[in-house]
Amino acid sequence: MKLNIIKRSYHFILLLILFSLSLVLTSCSIPNSSGVIISDDLISINIGESTVLSLNTNEEATWSSSDEAVAIVNQNGLVTGISGGICKIKAVTSKNEYTILVSVSITEEPTPLMTISGKQTVYVGSAIQLDLTFTNVKVEPRVDWSSSDVSVATVDANGLVTGVGAGIATIRATAVLDSLITKEYLVLVKDQTSILYDTIGNYVESRKIILDGEIDLTSLNSVTTKVISDNYERTIGVSNYQYVNVTFTEKSLERAGVGTGIIFKRVENNDAYDYYLITNYHVIDGNDKLKVYLGDRDVEIDATIVASDSDLDLAVLKFTFKEEISVCKFGSVSEVKAGDFIIALGNAEGYDYYGSATFGMVSYVNRNLIGESAKYIQHDAAINPGNSGGPLFNMKGEVIGINTIKLADTKIDNMGFSITIDIVKEFLEKSNITY
């Protein structure tokens, strides 16, 4: 685009008339100016686009931009958009000074997304087919499939997963030409022996509760509501931000995942406090930036990693906040028994369901999962994506586990797993973090 230029005329009268008209048209943008300014009050261009500005006088001008991060201009008046925003372009002559506002727009494109669907449980020697769904893409990209542990499960170029050995493996799909389009999917591989062992173990550890007379749930209700209210502000969100493509040359920092954390330590820091929280490693994995979300205050705060262990799937984050927040109490797995009532807190399916509470009982204590380093409390309190890293409480309001895995299949219902608090304590001590 090129702005109008008043050309030199050899007829003095015509030049005078045009000169007077231009003063009238531009007086709103350049008051008290005796010359003729750039013709518009505001021009708009996109990032990477250019336009030529010129004065409708014969004066020699020196051009400059008030913010070269937004737009630049050369000494011929060529303006180029650099990033979204508004800046002033100035033309200075020996007698006058002229300005114009330039608005640089970002051409927004929808973020390409990929989802994986299919069963999450497969037997050794059998196979399951995982399917991909793409949104906001013009042409579906070619995808590379990979397995985190080929001794547990393998995956071919078409997403067919084959069980190799009992355990848990993460299946990853990555677009070949755009590594930002990626998705992970948890798969449980079981053989007949492990299924039988789990079934027997659950029956052996079951507890029968015999109640005589009328059942009064009033006391139980008061206990559960107190546990939830006491720990609501301590149980917070963990936001995993990653860069995604906005245009061919630009990337934008977007929230890629949401998990949960529980504050266990507070240290005074001048007029503020440093807070420490425990969460899952897979909640923060692959981040470009981390933040915590305080839902009761509706505020998101930058956070840093203090310690992490991918094998245990645990991480400690730290953030600074001026207001005082209470901290949780740790219990002991030695006091946990199958049949105990428990409560889970977390952000099921993200912050739209921030602080969701679910109730259940312990199914098995100190469960070993093949291929995993930690020990787990198996329970039937409902947990969903977003609950990862969140606390599991006993009826005293003590944290006895960190929710991390849910098994989902047409033959499986209400099987959640929490890393035992004893494993968490060992991790903190190994990382020289007091609690």
Side-chain angles (χ1 to χ4, degrees), residues 320-334:
T320 302
F321 189 52
K322 288 189 175 182
E323 297 180 24
E324 186 173 352
I325 304 174
S326 59
V327 299
C328 72
K329 295 179 180 179
F330 288 161
S332 173
V333 75
S334 63

Side-chain angles (χ1 to χ4, degrees), residues 68-90:
E68 293 190 344
V70 175
I72 58 174
V73 60
N74 67 14
Q75 291 310 304
N76 295 318
L78 180 69
V79 178
T80 302
I82 303 300
S83 64
I86 296 177
C87 69
K88 287 183 179 181
I89 300 298
K90 183 186 295 184

Side-chain angles (χ1 to χ4, degrees), residues 331-347:
S332 173
V333 75
S334 63
E335 300 178 3
V336 181
K337 296 179 177 61
D340 285 349
F341 290 137
I342 42 85
I343 295 172
L345 270 179
N347 308 311

Side-chain angles (χ1 to χ4, degrees), residues 85-382:
I86 296 177
C87 69
K88 287 183 179 181
I89 300 298
K90 183 186 295 184
V92 179
T93 70
S94 59
K95 297 180 180 179
N96 298 297
E97 181 178 298
Y98 311 116
T99 60
I100 187 169
L101 288 177
V102 174
S103 173
V104 181
S105 302
I106 300 175
T107 303
E108 294 187 359
E109 297 181 0
T111 302
L113 299 173
M114 175 172 63
T115 56
I116 301 177
S117 60
K119 290 187 175 181
Q120 287 184 272
T121 301
V122 61
Y123 300 122
V124 172
S126 298
I128 54 175
Q129 179 64 53
L130 300 184
D131 298 314
L132 293 178
T133 303
F134 293 91
T135 54
N136 301 329
V137 296
K138 295 180 180 178
V139 178
E140 291 190 2
R142 186 167 67 85
V143 171
D144 279 344
W145 292 87
S146 61
S147 170
S148 65
D149 191 341
V150 294
S151 67
V152 174
T154 60
V155 59
D156 69 8
N158 298 312
L160 184 69
V161 177
T162 302
V164 177
I168 295 175
T170 299
I171 305 300
R172 178 189 288 265
T174 304
V176 173
L177 297 179
D178 189 349
S179 61
L180 292 176
I181 307 178
T182 185
K183 199 69 177 178
E184 292 184 346
Y185 202 71
L186 198 67
V187 171
L188 173 70
V189 180
K190 307 193 81 172
D191 57 29
Q192 295 299 326
T193 302
S194 64
I195 294 172
L196 181 62
Y197 173 83
D198 285 349
T199 303
I200 294 174
N202 281 328
Y203 278 116
V204 169
E205 292 296 325
S206 294
R207 297 289 188 272
K208 181 181 289 187
I209 301 173
I210 302 175
L211 298 173
D212 295 324
E214 295 183 359
I215 301 174
D216 183 5
L217 297 180
T218 304
S219 59
L220 177 60
N221 180 75
S222 63
V223 171
T224 57
T225 55
K226 185 176 189 309
V227 170
I228 295 169
S229 62
D230 286 349
N231 290 282
Y232 179 75
E233 73 166 359
R234 307 165 184 165
T235 307
I236 63 178
V238 178
S239 303
N240 183 324
Y241 281 84
Q242 299 177 16
Y243 284 106
V244 298
N245 287 342
V246 176
T247 65
F248 183 75
T249 57
E250 287 196 46
K251 295 181 180 180
S252 175
L253 194 64
E254 304 287 346
R255 185 190 290 158
V258 167
T260 306
I262 179 74
I263 298 173
F264 68 89
K265 181 178 180 180
R266 180 182 66 230
V267 179
E268 290 191 22
N269 183 358
N270 295 323
D271 59 345
Y273 299 93
D274 289 334
Y275 291 97
Y276 294 77
L277 64 97
I278 190 81
T279 188
N280 283 145
Y281 177 85
H282 75 258
V283 170
I284 66 168
D285 189 23
N287 79 88
D288 293 306
K289 189 179 185 63
L290 290 173
K291 295 187 178 185
V292 295
Y293 177 63
L294 309 182
D296 58 331
R297 295 167 171 85
D298 193 24
V299 60
E300 210 168 33
I301 305 166
D302 290 345
T304 57
I305 301 172
V306 177
S308 64
D309 189 318
S310 58
D311 290 335
L312 293 177
D313 196 17
L314 290 172
V316 173
L317 306 185
K318 183 177 78 169
F319 69 96
T320 302
F321 189 52
K322 288 189 175 182
E323 297 180 24
E324 186 173 352
I325 304 174
S326 59
V327 299
C328 72
K329 295 179 180 179
F330 288 161
S332 173
V333 75
S334 63
E335 300 178 3
V336 181
K337 296 179 177 61
D340 285 349
F341 290 137
I342 42 85
I343 295 172
L345 270 179
N347 308 311
E349 295 296 335
Y351 296 149
D352 288 341
Y353 300 98
Y354 181 91
S356 295
T358 52
F359 178 81
M361 70 167 55
V362 173
S363 304
Y364 194 95
V365 184
N366 281 325
R367 172 76 74 192
N368 290 305
L369 295 179
I370 298 174
E372 298 295 318
S373 300
K375 288 182 179 292
Y376 299 88
I377 297 173
Q378 181 184 332
H379 61 85
D380 66 355

